[in-house]
Amino acid sequence: MAVPPPAPMTHPAPRPGGASAALGGAEGGAAGGAAGGAAGGAAGGASTGAAPEGIPPARRGASAAAAAPRRPSYERFRAPQDGRATALHAGAWWLWALGLATAASRTTNPLVLGLIVGVAGFVVAARRTDAPWARSYGAFLKLGLFVIGLRLLFSMLLGSPIPGTHTLFVLPEVPLPAWAQGIRFGGRVTAEQLVFAFYDGAKLAALLVCVGAANALANPARLLKSLPAALYEAGVAVVVAMTFAPNLVADVVRLRTARRLRGRAAGGIKAVLQIGLPVLEGALERSVAVAASMDARGYGRTAQVPPAVRHTTTVLTLGGLLGVCAGTYGLLAAQGAAYGLPVLGIGVVLALAGLRLGGRRSVRTRYRPDRWGVRAWLVAGSGAAVAGLLIHAGGVDPAGMHPGVVPLVAPSLPLWPAASVLIGLLPAFVAPVPPKEASQ
Protein backbone atom coordinates (compact mmCIF):
# COMPACT_ATOMS: atom_id res chain seq x y z
CA MET A 1 0.00 0.00 0.00
CA ALA A 2 1.55 3.26 -1.08
CA VAL A 3 2.03 5.91 1.55
CA PRO A 4 1.27 9.40 0.34
CA PRO A 5 4.16 11.87 0.73
CA PRO A 6 3.85 14.32 3.63
CA ALA A 7 2.41 17.66 2.85
CA PRO A 8 5.00 20.43 2.76
CA MET A 9 5.02 22.63 5.88
CA THR A 10 4.44 26.27 5.25
CA HIS A 11 5.53 29.09 7.56
CA PRO A 12 4.19 32.59 7.45
CA ALA A 13 6.66 35.00 6.03
CA PRO A 14 8.24 37.08 8.79
CA ARG A 15 7.21 40.65 8.94
CA PRO A 16 10.12 42.87 7.96
CA GLY A 17 11.60 44.49 11.02
CA GLY A 18 11.83 47.87 9.36
CA ALA A 19 8.14 47.84 8.37
CA SER A 20 7.12 46.58 11.77
CA ALA A 21 9.22 49.20 13.48
CA ALA A 22 7.78 51.89 11.29
CA LEU A 23 4.27 50.64 11.98
CA GLY A 24 4.90 50.58 15.72
CA GLY A 25 6.46 54.03 15.55
CA ALA A 26 3.45 55.32 13.71
CA GLU A 27 1.06 53.76 16.21
CA GLY A 28 3.06 55.11 19.13
CA GLY A 29 3.22 58.53 17.50
CA ALA A 30 -0.56 58.53 17.07
CA ALA A 31 -1.02 57.53 20.69
CA GLY A 32 1.34 59.90 22.43
CA GLY A 33 3.51 62.06 20.24
CA ALA A 34 7.27 61.79 20.00
CA ALA A 35 7.80 59.85 23.24
CA GLY A 36 5.11 57.34 22.31
CA GLY A 37 6.55 57.01 18.81
CA ALA A 38 9.91 56.01 20.22
CA ALA A 39 8.29 53.49 22.54
CA GLY A 40 6.15 52.11 19.71
CA GLY A 41 9.19 51.85 17.46
CA ALA A 42 11.03 49.85 20.12
CA ALA A 43 8.05 47.55 20.51
CA GLY A 44 7.62 47.15 16.76
CA GLY A 45 10.12 44.28 16.60
CA ALA A 46 7.54 42.13 18.44
CA SER A 47 4.87 40.08 16.77
CA THR A 48 2.21 42.78 16.87
CA GLY A 49 4.21 46.01 16.94
CA ALA A 50 1.54 47.65 19.11
CA ALA A 51 2.36 49.75 22.17
CA PRO A 52 1.43 48.30 25.59
CA GLU A 53 -2.06 49.14 26.68
CA GLY A 54 -2.76 51.18 29.78
CA ILE A 55 0.72 52.76 30.23
CA PRO A 56 1.00 56.48 29.57
CA PRO A 57 3.66 57.27 27.00
CA ALA A 58 5.50 59.66 29.32
CA ARG A 59 6.06 56.93 31.92
CA ARG A 60 7.43 54.25 29.61
CA GLY A 61 11.00 55.70 29.71
CA ALA A 62 10.88 55.90 33.51
CA SER A 63 9.79 52.27 33.83
CA ALA A 64 12.64 51.17 31.54
CA ALA A 65 15.16 53.13 33.62
CA ALA A 66 13.80 51.58 36.80
CA ALA A 67 14.21 48.12 35.31
CA ALA A 68 17.95 48.73 34.66
CA PRO A 69 20.34 47.41 37.35
CA ARG A 70 21.13 50.07 39.91
CA ARG A 71 24.62 50.42 41.34
CA PRO A 72 24.78 49.70 45.09
CA SER A 73 25.28 52.78 47.21
CA TYR A 74 28.25 51.31 49.10
CA GLU A 75 30.28 51.04 45.89
CA ARG A 76 30.49 54.80 45.71
CA PHE A 77 32.64 54.77 48.87
CA ARG A 78 35.00 52.01 47.72
CA ALA A 79 38.63 52.86 47.07
CA PRO A 80 39.36 53.53 43.38
CA GLN A 81 41.86 51.63 41.30
CA ASP A 82 45.40 52.94 41.53
CA GLY A 83 46.33 54.97 38.48
CA ARG A 84 47.90 58.21 37.37
CA ALA A 85 44.86 60.30 38.31
CA THR A 86 44.04 58.48 41.58
CA ALA A 87 47.57 57.75 42.86
CA LEU A 88 48.08 58.36 46.55
CA HIS A 89 50.73 60.88 47.51
CA ALA A 90 53.96 59.11 48.51
CA GLY A 91 54.41 61.43 51.47
CA ALA A 92 51.14 60.19 52.98
CA TRP A 93 52.57 56.67 53.28
CA TRP A 94 55.67 57.96 55.03
CA LEU A 95 53.67 60.09 57.45
CA TRP A 96 51.49 57.08 58.25
CA ALA A 97 54.54 54.87 58.84
CA LEU A 98 56.30 57.51 60.94
CA GLY A 99 53.16 57.78 63.06
CA LEU A 100 53.22 54.04 63.70
CA ALA A 101 56.96 54.23 64.44
CA THR A 102 56.38 57.03 66.93
CA ALA A 103 53.70 54.94 68.61
CA ALA A 104 56.08 51.96 68.77
CA SER A 105 58.75 54.10 70.40
CA ARG A 106 56.39 55.00 73.26
CA THR A 107 55.92 51.46 74.56
CA THR A 108 57.85 48.31 75.42
CA ASN A 109 54.76 46.13 75.74
CA PRO A 110 55.37 43.24 73.32
CA LEU A 111 51.63 42.78 72.75
CA VAL A 112 51.18 46.39 71.63
CA LEU A 113 54.35 46.21 69.53
CA GLY A 114 53.12 43.01 67.91
CA LEU A 115 49.80 44.69 67.16
CA ILE A 116 51.60 47.61 65.50
CA VAL A 117 53.65 45.21 63.39
CA GLY A 118 50.47 43.32 62.46
CA VAL A 119 48.71 46.53 61.40
CA ALA A 120 51.65 47.53 59.22
CA GLY A 121 51.82 44.06 57.68
CA PHE A 122 48.10 43.98 56.91
CA VAL A 123 48.21 47.35 55.14
CA VAL A 124 51.28 46.30 53.15
CA ALA A 125 49.61 43.04 52.10
CA ALA A 126 46.46 44.90 51.05
CA ARG A 127 47.97 47.83 49.18
CA ARG A 128 51.44 47.00 47.90
CA THR A 129 52.13 46.58 44.20
CA ASP A 130 54.40 44.26 42.21
CA ALA A 131 57.19 46.85 41.95
CA PRO A 132 60.71 45.86 43.07
CA TRP A 133 60.66 48.14 46.11
CA ALA A 134 57.41 46.53 47.29
CA ARG A 135 59.26 43.28 48.00
CA SER A 136 61.52 44.84 50.63
CA TYR A 137 59.03 44.45 53.47
CA GLY A 138 60.02 40.84 54.07
CA ALA A 139 63.69 41.85 54.24
CA PHE A 140 62.93 44.47 56.91
CA LEU A 141 60.89 41.90 58.83
CA LYS A 142 63.81 39.48 58.83
CA LEU A 143 66.11 42.32 59.84
CA GLY A 144 63.87 43.01 62.82
CA LEU A 145 64.04 39.39 63.92
CA PHE A 146 67.82 39.50 63.54
CA VAL A 147 67.96 42.62 65.74
CA ILE A 148 65.98 40.86 68.48
CA GLY A 149 68.29 37.86 68.37
CA LEU A 150 71.39 40.06 68.40
CA ARG A 151 70.07 42.04 71.37
CA LEU A 152 69.48 38.82 73.31
CA LEU A 153 72.95 37.55 72.41
CA PHE A 154 74.64 40.74 73.61
CA SER A 155 72.64 40.62 76.83
CA MET A 156 73.82 37.07 77.52
CA LEU A 157 77.46 37.73 76.69
CA LEU A 158 77.94 41.24 78.10
CA GLY A 159 75.45 41.14 80.94
CA SER A 160 72.78 43.65 81.87
CA PRO A 161 72.31 46.25 84.62
CA ILE A 162 68.91 44.74 85.39
CA PRO A 163 69.08 42.81 88.66
CA GLY A 164 67.48 39.39 88.60
CA THR A 165 66.80 36.49 90.89
CA HIS A 166 65.71 33.84 88.38
CA THR A 167 69.00 32.38 87.13
CA LEU A 168 68.67 30.40 83.92
CA PHE A 169 72.27 29.32 83.35
CA VAL A 170 75.84 30.47 83.99
CA LEU A 171 78.33 31.13 81.20
CA PRO A 172 82.09 30.93 81.71
CA GLU A 173 83.24 34.42 82.67
CA VAL A 174 86.32 35.85 80.99
CA PRO A 175 88.48 38.08 83.26
CA LEU A 176 89.01 41.55 81.80
CA PRO A 177 91.79 44.08 82.55
CA ALA A 178 91.40 46.88 85.10
CA TRP A 179 90.66 49.55 82.50
CA ALA A 180 87.51 47.59 81.50
CA GLN A 181 85.87 47.84 84.89
CA GLY A 182 82.09 47.68 84.75
CA ILE A 183 82.09 45.37 81.74
CA ARG A 184 81.90 41.62 82.01
CA PHE A 185 82.00 38.88 79.44
CA GLY A 186 79.95 35.85 80.40
CA GLY A 187 78.66 35.05 83.85
CA ARG A 188 75.19 34.58 85.25
CA VAL A 189 72.23 34.93 82.89
CA THR A 190 68.85 35.70 84.47
CA ALA A 191 65.33 35.65 83.10
CA GLU A 192 64.84 39.31 83.99
CA GLN A 193 67.73 40.51 81.84
CA LEU A 194 66.61 38.41 78.86
CA VAL A 195 63.05 39.71 79.10
CA PHE A 196 64.34 43.28 79.30
CA ALA A 197 66.57 42.68 76.26
CA PHE A 198 63.65 41.15 74.36
CA TYR A 199 61.43 44.16 75.09
CA ASP A 200 64.18 46.53 73.97
CA GLY A 201 64.90 44.57 70.80
CA ALA A 202 61.20 44.27 69.97
CA LYS A 203 60.85 48.05 70.06
CA LEU A 204 63.72 48.53 67.62
CA ALA A 205 62.37 45.73 65.40
CA ALA A 206 58.95 47.43 65.27
CA LEU A 207 60.61 50.69 64.18
CA LEU A 208 62.40 48.86 61.37
CA VAL A 209 59.19 47.17 60.26
CA CYS A 210 57.37 50.53 60.09
CA VAL A 211 60.16 51.97 57.92
CA GLY A 212 60.00 48.85 55.75
CA ALA A 213 56.25 49.31 55.32
CA ALA A 214 56.74 52.87 54.06
CA ASN A 215 59.51 51.70 51.77
CA ALA A 216 57.26 48.99 50.33
CA LEU A 217 54.22 51.21 49.79
CA ALA A 218 55.65 54.58 48.68
CA ASN A 219 56.94 54.99 45.14
CA PRO A 220 60.47 56.48 45.45
CA ALA A 221 60.23 58.31 42.12
CA ARG A 222 56.96 60.00 43.13
CA LEU A 223 58.42 60.81 46.53
CA LEU A 224 61.32 62.57 44.81
CA LYS A 225 58.91 64.58 42.67
CA SER A 226 57.06 65.74 45.77
CA LEU A 227 60.14 67.11 47.54
CA PRO A 228 60.63 70.87 47.75
CA ALA A 229 62.92 72.37 45.16
CA ALA A 230 65.58 73.20 47.78
CA LEU A 231 65.85 69.52 48.78
CA TYR A 232 65.82 68.09 45.29
CA GLU A 233 69.55 67.36 45.08
CA ALA A 234 69.65 65.83 48.55
CA GLY A 235 66.43 63.99 47.77
CA VAL A 236 68.00 62.32 44.76
CA ALA A 237 70.76 60.91 46.95
CA VAL A 238 68.26 59.73 49.57
CA VAL A 239 65.97 58.11 47.00
CA VAL A 240 68.89 56.33 45.33
CA ALA A 241 69.98 55.06 48.74
CA MET A 242 66.41 53.96 49.54
CA THR A 243 66.01 52.07 46.28
CA PHE A 244 69.37 50.32 46.68
CA ALA A 245 68.08 47.85 49.27
CA PRO A 246 64.90 46.82 47.36
CA ASN A 247 66.80 46.41 44.09
CA LEU A 248 69.47 44.44 45.92
CA VAL A 249 66.83 42.11 47.35
CA ALA A 250 65.25 41.70 43.90
CA ASP A 251 68.62 40.85 42.34
CA VAL A 252 69.40 38.28 45.02
CA VAL A 253 65.99 36.62 44.57
CA ARG A 254 66.39 36.56 40.80
CA LEU A 255 69.86 35.04 40.94
CA ARG A 256 68.88 32.42 43.53
CA THR A 257 65.92 31.41 41.37
CA ALA A 258 68.19 31.10 38.35
CA ARG A 259 70.58 28.88 40.32
CA ARG A 260 67.73 26.61 41.42
CA LEU A 261 66.55 26.26 37.82
CA ARG A 262 70.06 25.22 36.80
CA GLY A 263 70.19 22.62 39.56
CA ARG A 264 72.74 24.46 41.66
CA ALA A 265 72.69 25.10 45.39
CA ALA A 266 71.14 28.42 46.41
CA GLY A 267 72.50 28.43 49.96
CA GLY A 268 75.86 28.18 51.62
CA ILE A 269 78.99 30.30 51.63
CA LYS A 270 80.02 29.29 48.12
CA ALA A 271 76.62 30.25 46.68
CA VAL A 272 76.72 33.60 48.50
CA LEU A 273 80.12 34.38 47.00
CA GLN A 274 78.96 33.42 43.53
CA ILE A 275 75.78 35.49 43.83
CA GLY A 276 77.51 38.54 45.31
CA LEU A 277 79.56 39.39 42.20
CA PRO A 278 76.57 39.61 39.78
CA VAL A 279 74.65 41.64 42.35
CA LEU A 280 77.46 44.19 42.66
CA GLU A 281 77.83 44.26 38.88
CA GLY A 282 74.12 45.02 38.49
CA ALA A 283 74.33 47.78 41.11
CA LEU A 284 77.27 49.36 39.23
CA GLU A 285 75.40 49.22 35.92
CA ARG A 286 72.36 50.91 37.46
CA SER A 287 74.56 53.60 38.97
CA VAL A 288 76.14 54.36 35.59
CA ALA A 289 72.70 54.45 33.94
CA VAL A 290 71.33 56.82 36.58
CA ALA A 291 74.36 59.11 36.24
CA ALA A 292 73.99 59.21 32.45
CA SER A 293 70.26 59.99 32.62
CA MET A 294 70.83 62.74 35.22
CA ASP A 295 73.54 64.31 33.08
CA ALA A 296 71.30 64.17 29.97
CA ARG A 297 68.50 65.95 31.85
CA GLY A 298 70.72 68.82 32.97
CA TYR A 299 70.87 67.82 36.62
CA GLY A 300 72.66 70.33 38.86
CA ARG A 301 71.62 73.57 37.21
CA THR A 302 71.13 76.46 39.63
CA ALA A 303 69.89 80.01 39.31
CA GLN A 304 71.65 83.13 40.55
CA VAL A 305 70.27 84.52 43.83
CA PRO A 306 71.55 87.42 46.01
CA PRO A 307 73.99 86.52 48.82
CA ALA A 308 71.59 87.82 51.48
CA VAL A 309 68.94 85.36 50.35
CA ARG A 310 71.44 82.49 50.48
CA HIS A 311 72.56 83.36 54.03
CA THR A 312 68.97 83.77 55.22
CA THR A 313 68.04 80.45 53.68
CA THR A 314 70.93 78.70 55.41
CA VAL A 315 70.06 80.15 58.82
CA LEU A 316 66.37 79.34 58.55
CA THR A 317 66.90 75.83 57.22
CA LEU A 318 69.55 74.82 59.77
CA GLY A 319 67.64 76.40 62.65
CA GLY A 320 64.44 74.73 61.56
CA LEU A 321 66.04 71.31 61.19
CA LEU A 322 67.66 71.61 64.61
CA GLY A 323 64.28 72.54 66.06
CA VAL A 324 62.67 69.54 64.37
CA CYS A 325 65.37 67.23 65.76
CA ALA A 326 65.04 68.68 69.27
CA GLY A 327 61.25 68.52 69.18
CA THR A 328 61.25 64.96 67.87
CA TYR A 329 63.65 63.92 70.60
CA GLY A 330 61.38 65.56 73.15
CA LEU A 331 58.38 63.63 71.86
CA LEU A 332 60.25 60.34 71.88
CA ALA A 333 61.82 60.86 75.30
CA ALA A 334 59.85 60.07 78.41
CA GLN A 335 60.33 63.49 80.06
CA GLY A 336 60.24 65.74 77.00
CA ALA A 337 56.60 65.52 75.97
CA ALA A 338 55.88 68.98 77.47
CA TYR A 339 58.37 70.97 75.39
CA GLY A 340 58.69 68.61 72.42
CA LEU A 341 55.57 69.65 70.53
CA PRO A 342 56.11 73.48 70.69
CA VAL A 343 59.77 73.15 69.67
CA LEU A 344 58.78 70.81 66.85
CA GLY A 345 56.19 73.29 65.59
CA ILE A 346 58.64 76.20 65.61
CA GLY A 347 61.25 74.09 63.84
CA VAL A 348 58.80 73.06 61.14
CA VAL A 349 57.81 76.69 60.47
CA LEU A 350 61.44 77.82 60.22
CA ALA A 351 62.37 74.88 58.00
CA LEU A 352 59.46 75.53 55.64
CA ALA A 353 60.43 79.20 55.35
CA GLY A 354 64.03 78.25 54.57
CA LEU A 355 62.97 75.69 52.00
CA ARG A 356 60.69 78.24 50.38
CA LEU A 357 63.55 80.67 49.92
CA GLY A 358 65.99 77.96 48.91
CA GLY A 359 63.69 76.83 46.13
CA ARG A 360 64.65 79.91 44.10
CA ARG A 361 68.02 78.34 43.25
CA SER A 362 66.52 75.27 41.65
CA VAL A 363 65.59 75.49 37.98
CA ARG A 364 63.25 72.61 37.28
CA THR A 365 59.62 71.84 36.53
CA ARG A 366 57.27 69.11 37.72
CA TYR A 367 55.40 66.98 35.23
CA ARG A 368 52.04 65.80 36.56
CA PRO A 369 52.71 66.37 40.26
CA ASP A 370 50.84 64.12 42.68
CA ARG A 371 47.95 65.81 44.42
CA TRP A 372 47.37 65.73 48.14
CA GLY A 373 43.72 64.74 48.26
CA VAL A 374 41.22 63.58 50.84
CA ARG A 375 42.54 60.01 50.86
CA ALA A 376 46.06 61.25 51.52
CA TRP A 377 44.75 63.22 54.51
CA LEU A 378 43.00 60.12 55.83
CA VAL A 379 46.11 57.94 55.47
CA ALA A 380 48.45 60.45 57.08
CA GLY A 381 45.88 61.35 59.73
CA SER A 382 45.43 57.74 60.78
CA GLY A 383 49.16 57.44 61.54
CA ALA A 384 49.17 60.75 63.40
CA ALA A 385 46.13 59.66 65.42
CA VAL A 386 47.84 56.42 66.47
CA ALA A 387 50.96 58.33 67.51
CA GLY A 388 49.03 60.95 69.49
CA LEU A 389 46.84 58.44 71.30
CA LEU A 390 49.75 56.23 72.33
CA ILE A 391 51.75 59.24 73.52
CA HIS A 392 48.76 60.11 75.69
CA ALA A 393 48.48 56.49 76.84
CA GLY A 394 52.10 56.55 78.00
CA GLY A 395 51.22 59.25 80.52
CA VAL A 396 47.87 57.84 81.58
CA ASP A 397 48.75 54.14 81.85
CA PRO A 398 52.54 53.81 82.17
CA ALA A 399 52.32 50.37 83.78
CA GLY A 400 50.39 48.96 80.82
CA MET A 401 52.64 50.56 78.21
CA HIS A 402 55.88 49.59 79.99
CA PRO A 403 55.44 46.26 81.79
CA GLY A 404 57.91 45.68 84.59
CA VAL A 405 60.64 43.07 84.62
CA VAL A 406 61.61 43.34 88.30
CA PRO A 407 59.61 41.63 89.64
CA LEU A 408 58.97 39.54 86.56
CA VAL A 409 55.30 39.82 85.48
CA ALA A 410 53.44 38.77 82.36
CA PRO A 411 52.50 41.72 80.09
CA SER A 412 48.83 42.54 79.66
CA LEU A 413 47.15 44.14 76.66
CA PRO A 414 45.78 47.62 77.48
CA LEU A 415 42.41 47.84 75.77
CA TRP A 416 42.02 51.40 74.60
CA PRO A 417 45.66 51.80 73.43
CA ALA A 418 45.22 48.56 71.46
CA ALA A 419 42.01 49.94 69.95
CA SER A 420 43.90 53.13 69.07
CA VAL A 421 46.48 51.11 67.14
CA LEU A 422 43.69 49.64 65.01
CA ILE A 423 43.08 53.11 63.57
CA GLY A 424 46.21 52.48 61.53
CA LEU A 425 44.24 49.95 59.45
CA LEU A 426 42.36 52.78 57.72
CA PRO A 427 44.74 52.96 54.70
CA ALA A 428 43.86 49.35 53.85
CA PHE A 429 40.33 50.53 53.03
CA VAL A 430 40.71 54.10 51.73
CA ALA A 431 43.96 53.95 49.73
CA PRO A 432 43.70 53.22 45.99
CA VAL A 433 43.59 49.52 45.12
CA PRO A 434 46.63 48.18 43.23
CA PRO A 435 45.86 47.11 39.65
CA LYS A 436 46.43 43.41 40.37
CA GLU A 437 43.88 43.36 43.19
CA ALA A 438 41.42 45.54 41.33
CA SER A 439 41.32 43.12 38.40
CA GLN A 440 40.33 40.17 40.57
Side-chain angles (χ1 to χ4, degrees):
M1 181 175 180
V3 178
M9 299 180 64
T10 58
H11 299 278
R15 171 181 280 181
S20 182
L23 177 60
E27 293 175 354
S47 59
T48 59
E53 296 290 339
I55 300 180
R59 297 184 59 184
R60 290 170 191 156
S63 61
R70 184 175 298 178
R71 185 181 180 184
S73 59
Y74 70 89
E75 289 189 359
R76 292 178 294 178
F77 302 99
R78 293 180 60 183
Q81 182 179 355
D82 191 10
R84 172 66 67 178
T86 60
L88 189 68
H89 200 285
W93 286 122
W94 274 101
L95 291 178
W96 167 79
L98 291 178
L100 293 184
T102 303
S105 67
R106 305 300 297 183
T107 179
T108 56
N109 192 324
L111 301 179
V112 179
L113 292 174
L115 188 60
I116 293 175
V117 172
V119 167
F122 181 83
V123 175
V124 169
R127 288 297 181 264
R128 70 174 176 179
T129 61
D130 293 333
W133 59 81
R135 306 172 188 172
S136 62
Y137 180 76
F140 279 92
L141 193 60
K142 295 177 182 178
L143 181 61
L145 296 177
F146 174 76
V147 165
I148 294 177
L150 191 63
R151 182 66 178 87
L152 291 174
L153 179 62
F154 283 169
S155 178
M156 289 187 294
L157 295 179
L158 303 178
S160 175
I162 301 299
T165 57
H166 300 80
T167 303
L168 298 178
F169 51 88
V170 179
L171 295 176
E173 187 170 356
V174 178
L176 298 177
W179 54 267
Q181 292 293 333
I183 301 175
R184 69 177 179 86
F185 192 84
R188 189 168 62 99
V189 178
T190 62
E192 287 82 358
Q193 76 179 60
L194 290 184
V195 171
F196 178 78
F198 175 74
Y199 289 172
D200 199 20
K203 179 195 292 188
L204 182 56
L207 295 176
L208 291 174
V209 168
C210 293
V211 174
N215 202 6
L217 293 171
N219 190 332
R222 289 181 176 176
L223 182 63
L224 178 62
K225 289 171 57 177
S226 304
L227 286 177
L231 294 179
Y232 181 70
E233 296 179 359
V236 170
V238 173
V239 169
V240 169
M242 286 170 50
T243 55
F244 175 77
N247 289 327
L248 188 67
V249 172
D251 287 345
V252 171
V253 172
R254 177 175 55 83
L255 291 173
R256 293 185 65 182
T257 304
R259 289 181 64 87
R260 291 194 190 97
L261 293 176
R262 293 185 178 96
R264 301 177 182 178
I269 299 178
K270 183 178 179 180
V272 171
L273 295 177
Q274 293 178 352
I275 290 175
L277 184 60
V279 168
L280 294 178
E281 183 181 358
L284 181 61
E285 291 178 355
R286 282 194 300 269
S287 300
V288 174
V290 169
S293 63
M294 291 170 62
D295 183 66
R297 289 171 173 81
Y299 174 79
R301 295 177 300 167
T302 57
Q304 296 293 331
V305 294
V309 175
R310 292 202 305 267
H311 299 331
T312 305
T313 301
T314 303
V315 172
L316 290 177
T317 304
L318 291 180
L321 293 179
L322 289 176
V324 169
C325 293
T328 305
Y329 176 79
L331 290 177
L332 297 179
Q335 295 83 11
Y339 69 87
L341 189 60
V343 174
L344 179 61
I346 295 174
V348 168
V349 172
L350 293 178
L352 291 178
L355 294 178
R356 183 69 176 178
L357 289 177
R360 299 181 180 181
R361 296 182 67 248
S362 179
V363 183
R364 70 185 186 95
T365 58
R366 294 181 182 178
Y367 179 67
R368 291 182 179 179
D370 293 336
R371 298 179 180 179
W372 189 279
V374 178
R375 299 184 184 277
W377 281 113
L378 291 176
V379 171
S382 62
V386 173
L389 290 174
L390 261 71
I391 290 174
H392 178 66
V396 174
D397 187 13
M401 301 297 290
H402 301 277
V405 295
V406 180
L408 194 61
V409 295
S412 60
L413 181 64
L415 295 181
W416 75 267
S420 303
V421 174
L422 297 180
I423 300 177
L425 293 174
L426 185 62
F429 305 99
V430 301
V433 183
K436 180 178 179 181
E437 180 182 343
S439 61
Q440 294 178 354

